[in-house]
Amino acid sequence: MLASPEAARFVLVTHAHLFKPTYPKSKEQMIGPSALFFHQGEYHTRLRKLVQRSLAPDTIRKLIPDIEDIAVSALDSWAVSGQVINTFLKMKKLSFDVGILSIFGHLDRCYRDKLEENYRILDKGYNSFPSNIPGTAYHKALLASKRLNQILGEIICERKEKRLVEKDLLGHLLNFKDEKGQTLTEEQIADNIIGVLFAAQDTTASVITWILKFLHDDSKLLEAVKTEQMAIYESNKGGKRPLTWAQTRSMPLTYRVVLETLRMASIISFTFREAVVDVEYNGYLIPRGWKVMPLFRNIHHNPEFFSDPHNFDPSRFEVAPKPNTFMPFGYGVHACPGNELAKLEAVILIHHLVTKFRWEVVGSQNGIQYGPFPVPLRGLPARFRKESISSIHEGCH
């Protein structure tokens, strides 16, 4: 276990070639062995560039109006129901919809529903005991994985027939050719789509759920965030115009809240690597085949790097953290390529939430549960309601 920034950098950046990602075989079988995060070397580099290109700022800025529609529709539905909701589960649905948008653009509803139905089954079985016996969560997940591949095969076939040139992730994967003219197989494309969907959903949903908790717990901070967002809301003619890319980049306090949530919650608490040769680090021998675990949470909660680390304080990000001490999306060549989309999704949701709605956490407001990512207890049960403009200006929490 490595809990220093220098050691994490050694394993994940400067000597990354001496270590490989390591996952249980059961995970590879469910997601698909060609998913980029199971690999390193040339294949990983090529695939990562494709994914990064499809999730780069120049691409995702065009998704803002659609992400807004998804966020507003979700918030409206929670408010109209008047029911206490499991915030984390609802955020998973929202993140899934944004993931589908970034991968396929505007996908036919029939396909989207089929993908979601089978993805949910896969998700439930992902961290179950890998017992391939009919009726077990793992067995159901394997069957769902096969169905997902069939559905994706249909979508890929349809896209090829229409000869559409899209700049979404599927378009980048379909249009890829290496220096020898080789394209990706349908299996490779499907595995990477499932992998991106999987990587995009729980982590983003966890972060947004924590943001809502931290804002709810600090009425002064919530007021300040609301003031920042109301200025943007009013400049957009009372929300009648969509957010612009420049506006999403001009929310300094909101952005610091996102960063501090990423530090405090440390959704990706650690990562696994395996030494591919005998490695010496600081006089210690790491034998070939041994597992190495850089601990991001320990670094993020070390008072040497973040004063009073257990206190939620967005102002600490008014100054950039020390190098190699803030790694919320992992580090090095295997760092999450979708981090900009995750942050964009978060600030868009916050904008619409604080300018148009109130929310109230129900029941115990403390405690953490893991599944496997840390989320507030019971997924942060909360009730949402829509606000009139006059009461919005009076403040909420």
Side-chain angles (χ1 to χ4, degrees):
M1 294 187 184
L2 308 173
S4 76
E6 297 78 18
R9 179 174 166 76
F10 179 87
V11 170
L12 301 174
V13 181
T14 59
H15 293 73
H17 59 289
L18 303 179
F19 301 88
K20 67 178 182 180
T22 174
Y23 291 85
K25 283 291 175 193
S26 59
K27 313 292 189 198
E28 289 189 30
Q29 287 176 311
M30 276 187 274
I31 301 295
S34 296
L36 74 97
F37 45 74
F38 296 135
H39 293 267
Q40 64 177 23
E42 193 179 333
Y43 174 79
H44 172 266
T45 303
R46 287 204 310 263
L47 262 294
R48 182 177 166 77
K49 280 181 182 172
L50 284 180
V51 174
Q52 278 182 314
R53 211 172 298 146
S54 71
L55 299 175
D58 278 352
T59 306
I60 62 174
R61 66 193 299 164
K62 295 164 189 163
L63 301 179
I64 290 174
D66 292 313
I67 297 175
E68 284 193 276
D69 287 345
I70 291 169
V72 171
S73 174
L75 288 164
D76 278 337
S77 70
W78 306 339
V80 166
S81 78
Q83 301 293 312
V84 175
I85 66 164
N86 180 313
T87 305
F88 174 60
L89 292 183
K90 293 297 184 183
M91 293 304 172
K92 281 183 73 162
K93 163 67 174 159
L94 184 140
S95 294
F96 180 86
D97 289 344
V98 172
I100 290 288
L101 174 70
S102 66
I103 293 167
F104 303 103
H106 294 280
L107 185 64
D108 182 90
R109 186 176 187 86
C110 176
Y111 281 136
R112 199 172 71 231
D113 290 347
K114 283 182 186 175
L115 285 172
E116 184 170 11
E117 178 191 346
N118 286 286
Y119 180 84
R120 295 286 165 236
I121 299 168
L122 177 70
D123 191 33
K124 279 184 182 175
Y126 186 75
N127 289 300
S128 63
F129 187 77
S131 176
N132 198 8
I133 299 169
T136 62
Y138 179 71
H139 181 77
K140 289 177 183 176
L142 288 179
L143 295 177
S145 179
K146 287 179 183 175
R147 291 192 296 271
L148 281 170
N149 274 275
Q150 290 167 355
I151 299 161
L152 290 169
E154 291 173 27
I155 295 170
I156 290 166
C157 185
E158 199 171 284
R159 179 75 70 94
K160 282 179 176 176
E161 283 177 0
K162 291 180 179 176
R163 295 175 181 249
L164 295 171
V165 180
E166 302 286 355
K167 290 193 174 180
D168 50 34
L169 176 59
L170 177 56
H172 279 91
L173 293 171
L174 281 171
N175 296 327
F176 172 76
K177 281 186 182 177
D178 66 16
E179 59 279 359
K180 296 175 184 173
Q182 291 287 313
T183 58
L184 295 169
T185 66
E186 284 193 13
E187 183 185 78
Q188 288 173 325
I189 293 172
D191 287 359
N192 279 285
I193 286 173
I194 295 171
V196 167
L197 259 183
F198 196 86
Q201 195 195 191
D202 277 38
T203 48
T204 307
S206 301
V207 171
I208 298 175
T209 303
W210 279 110
I211 290 171
L212 265 61
K213 171 166 173 51
F214 291 135
L215 286 178
H216 182 275
D217 290 351
D218 188 335
S219 57
K220 283 186 179 177
L221 177 62
L222 176 55
E223 262 324 302
V225 168
K226 185 181 298 181
T227 299
E228 179 174 85
Q229 294 300 334
M230 282 306 298
I232 295 170
Y233 178 83
E234 285 162 4
S235 73
N236 282 344
K237 296 188 175 178
K240 289 176 183 172
R241 289 199 308 235
L243 284 168
T244 65
W245 176 253
Q247 286 171 334
T248 66
R249 298 310 227 198
S250 303
M251 305 173 174
L253 176 58
T254 305
Y255 195 69
R256 289 197 295 271
V257 167
V258 173
L259 295 179
E260 176 66 345
T261 301
L262 286 165
R263 183 201 68 82
M264 191 84 166
S266 288
I267 305 301
I268 301 174
S269 303
F270 55 84
T271 189
F272 282 110
R273 291 291 182 270
E274 181 183 311
V276 295
V277 293
D278 288 350
V279 182
E280 188 178 323
Y281 175 72
N282 271 11
Y284 292 94
L285 175 67
I286 304 171
R288 177 185 175 186
W290 276 38
K291 301 289 192 286
V292 176
M293 200 161 83
L295 303 172
F296 302 133
R297 177 183 291 277
N298 293 49
I299 296 169
H300 294 164
H301 286 242
N302 187 331
E304 187 182 335
F305 312 125
F306 299 97
S307 61
D308 198 5
H310 301 299
N311 180 41
F312 187 82
D313 179 13
S315 70
R316 70 173 82 246
F317 283 95
E318 289 171 7
V319 177
K322 293 176 184 175
N324 312 314
T325 61
F326 186 55
M327 299 168 271
F329 295 99
Y331 199 29
V333 293
H334 283 273
C336 173
N339 67 84
E340 289 298 334
L341 178 62
K343 288 183 281 193
L344 179 65
E345 187 181 330
V347 298
I348 288 174
L349 184 90
I350 293 167
H351 172 78
H352 289 285
L353 176 63
V354 302
T355 56
K356 301 172 190 170
F357 297 84
R358 292 189 187 215
W359 74 102
E360 177 188 357
V361 176
V362 178
S364 171
Q365 295 177 18
N366 294 312
I368 301 174
Q369 65 188 51
Y370 294 85
F373 300 108
V375 292
L377 198 61
R378 294 190 300 280
L380 196 70
R383 188 180 282 112
F384 291 73
R385 68 177 189 274
K386 199 156 190 176
E387 281 292 77
S388 65
I389 293 299
S390 59
S391 58
I392 283 172
H393 281 287
E394 292 167 12
C396 87
H397 80 114

